PDB file of all heavy atoms in Angstrom:
ATOM      1  N   ASP G  66     156.412  11.782  56.183  1.00 92.00           N
ATOM      2  CA  ASP G  66     156.198  13.234  56.131  1.00 92.00           C
ATOM      3  C   ASP G  66     154.692  13.486  56.152  1.00 92.00           C
ATOM      4  O   ASP G  66     153.978  13.144  55.216  1.00 92.00           O
ATOM      5  CB  ASP G  66     156.826  13.812  54.863  1.00 92.00           C
ATOM      6  CG  ASP G  66     156.756  15.335  54.805  1.00 92.00           C
ATOM      7  OD1 ASP G  66     156.085  15.942  55.654  1.00 92.00           O
ATOM      8  OD2 ASP G  66     157.384  15.898  53.891  1.00 92.00           O
ATOM      9  N   ALA G  67     154.223  14.078  57.243  1.00 94.00           N
ATOM     10  CA  ALA G  67     152.778  14.235  57.456  1.00 94.00           C
ATOM     11  C   ALA G  67     152.132  15.098  56.386  1.00 94.00           C
ATOM     12  O   ALA G  67     151.015  14.806  55.952  1.00 94.00           O
ATOM     13  CB  ALA G  67     152.519  14.826  58.830  1.00 94.00           C
ATOM     14  N   SER G  68     152.805  16.150  55.932  1.00 95.00           N
ATOM     15  CA  SER G  68     152.192  17.033  54.931  1.00 95.00           C
ATOM     16  C   SER G  68     152.071  16.338  53.574  1.00 95.00           C
ATOM     17  O   SER G  68     151.058  16.489  52.886  1.00 95.00           O
ATOM     18  CB  SER G  68     152.978  18.336  54.793  1.00 95.00           C
ATOM     19  OG  SER G  68     154.278  18.088  54.285  1.00 95.00           O
ATOM     20  N   LYS G  69     153.081  15.550  53.199  1.00 94.00           N
ATOM     21  CA  LYS G  69     153.014  14.805  51.931  1.00 94.00           C
ATOM     22  C   LYS G  69     151.929  13.732  52.002  1.00 94.00           C
ATOM     23  O   LYS G  69     151.191  13.522  51.039  1.00 94.00           O
ATOM     24  CB  LYS G  69     154.360  14.167  51.603  1.00 94.00           C
ATOM     25  CG  LYS G  69     155.409  15.130  51.139  1.00 94.00           C
ATOM     26  CD  LYS G  69     156.691  14.386  50.787  1.00 94.00           C
ATOM     27  CE  LYS G  69     157.779  15.330  50.353  1.00 94.00           C
ATOM     28  NZ  LYS G  69     159.027  14.624  50.028  1.00 94.00           N
ATOM     29  N   ALA G  70     151.842  13.050  53.136  1.00 95.00           N
ATOM     30  CA  ALA G  70     150.833  12.008  53.309  1.00 95.00           C
ATOM     31  C   ALA G  70     149.430  12.611  53.279  1.00 95.00           C
ATOM     32  O   ALA G  70     148.523  12.058  52.648  1.00 95.00           O
ATOM     33  CB  ALA G  70     151.060  11.253  54.612  1.00 95.00           C
ATOM     34  N   ALA G  71     149.248  13.754  53.919  1.00 96.00           N
ATOM     35  CA  ALA G  71     147.928  14.407  53.933  1.00 96.00           C
ATOM     36  C   ALA G  71     147.542  14.878  52.535  1.00 96.00           C
ATOM     37  O   ALA G  71     146.384  14.743  52.129  1.00 96.00           O
ATOM     38  CB  ALA G  71     147.938  15.575  54.908  1.00 96.00           C
ATOM     39  N   SER G  72     148.507  15.408  51.807  1.00 96.00           N
ATOM     40  CA  SER G  72     148.236  15.870  50.443  1.00 96.00           C
ATOM     41  C   SER G  72     147.841  14.698  49.543  1.00 96.00           C
ATOM     42  O   SER G  72     146.882  14.793  48.773  1.00 96.00           O
ATOM     43  CB  SER G  72     149.474  16.574  49.887  1.00 96.00           C
ATOM     44  OG  SER G  72     149.283  16.929  48.547  1.00 96.00           O
ATOM     45  N   ALA G  73     148.573  13.601  49.661  1.00 95.00           N
ATOM     46  CA  ALA G  73     148.260  12.416  48.856  1.00 95.00           C
ATOM     47  C   ALA G  73     146.905  11.839  49.256  1.00 95.00           C
ATOM     48  O   ALA G  73     146.124  11.425  48.395  1.00 95.00           O
ATOM     49  CB  ALA G  73     149.356  11.370  49.023  1.00 95.00           C
ATOM     50  N   ARG G  74     146.609  11.833  50.553  1.00 96.00           N
ATOM     51  CA  ARG G  74     145.333  11.309  51.034  1.00 96.00           C
ATOM     52  C   ARG G  74     144.168  12.137  50.491  1.00 96.00           C
ATOM     53  O   ARG G  74     143.156  11.589  50.058  1.00 96.00           O
ATOM     54  CB  ARG G  74     145.313  11.295  52.560  1.00 96.00           C
ATOM     55  CG  ARG G  74     144.131  10.563  53.150  1.00 96.00           C
ATOM     56  CD  ARG G  74     144.141  10.521  54.677  1.00 96.00           C
ATOM     57  NE  ARG G  74     145.425  10.125  55.233  1.00 96.00           N
ATOM     58  CZ  ARG G  74     146.198  10.908  55.986  1.00 96.00           C
ATOM     59  NH1 ARG G  74     145.830  12.136  56.271  1.00 96.00           N
ATOM     60  NH2 ARG G  74     147.342  10.465  56.449  1.00 96.00           N
ATOM     61  N   GLN G  75     144.326  13.450  50.483  1.00 97.00           N
ATOM     62  CA  GLN G  75     143.281  14.319  49.943  1.00 97.00           C
ATOM     63  C   GLN G  75     143.083  14.081  48.449  1.00 97.00           C
ATOM     64  O   GLN G  75     141.956  14.088  47.949  1.00 97.00           O
ATOM     65  CB  GLN G  75     143.614  15.790  50.205  1.00 97.00           C
ATOM     66  CG  GLN G  75     143.450  16.190  51.647  1.00 97.00           C
ATOM     67  CD  GLN G  75     142.025  16.008  52.128  1.00 97.00           C
ATOM     68  OE1 GLN G  75     141.069  16.316  51.441  1.00 97.00           O
ATOM     69  NE2 GLN G  75     141.882  15.464  53.328  1.00 97.00           N
ATOM     70  N   ALA G  76     144.172  13.854  47.716  1.00 96.00           N
ATOM     71  CA  ALA G  76     144.063  13.568  46.281  1.00 96.00           C
ATOM     72  C   ALA G  76     143.365  12.233  46.048  1.00 96.00           C
ATOM     73  O   ALA G  76     142.558  12.103  45.122  1.00 96.00           O
ATOM     74  CB  ALA G  76     145.447  13.568  45.639  1.00 96.00           C
ATOM     75  N   ILE G  77     143.650  11.245  46.877  1.00 96.00           N
ATOM     76  CA  ILE G  77     142.993   9.937  46.755  1.00 96.00           C
ATOM     77  C   ILE G  77     141.499  10.082  47.010  1.00 96.00           C
ATOM     78  O   ILE G  77     140.672   9.551  46.253  1.00 96.00           O
ATOM     79  CB  ILE G  77     143.631   8.920  47.731  1.00 96.00           C
ATOM     80  CG1 ILE G  77     145.043   8.563  47.268  1.00 96.00           C
ATOM     81  CG2 ILE G  77     142.773   7.667  47.849  1.00 96.00           C
ATOM     82  CD1 ILE G  77     145.856   7.783  48.291  1.00 96.00           C
ATOM     83  N   ILE G  78     141.145  10.806  48.062  1.00 97.00           N
ATOM     84  CA  ILE G  78     139.728  11.009  48.377  1.00 97.00           C
ATOM     85  C   ILE G  78     139.036  11.770  47.248  1.00 97.00           C
ATOM     86  O   ILE G  78     137.937  11.411  46.821  1.00 97.00           O
ATOM     87  CB  ILE G  78     139.572  11.743  49.730  1.00 97.00           C
ATOM     88  CG1 ILE G  78     140.025  10.832  50.864  1.00 97.00           C
ATOM     89  CG2 ILE G  78     138.137  12.203  49.935  1.00 97.00           C
ATOM     90  CD1 ILE G  78     140.162  11.534  52.209  1.00 97.00           C
TER      91      ILE G  78
END
Side-chain angles (χ1 to χ4, degrees):
D66 185 351
S68 65
K69 286 182 182 179
S72 175
R74 189 178 312 116
Q75 287 299 318
I77 290 169
I78 292 169

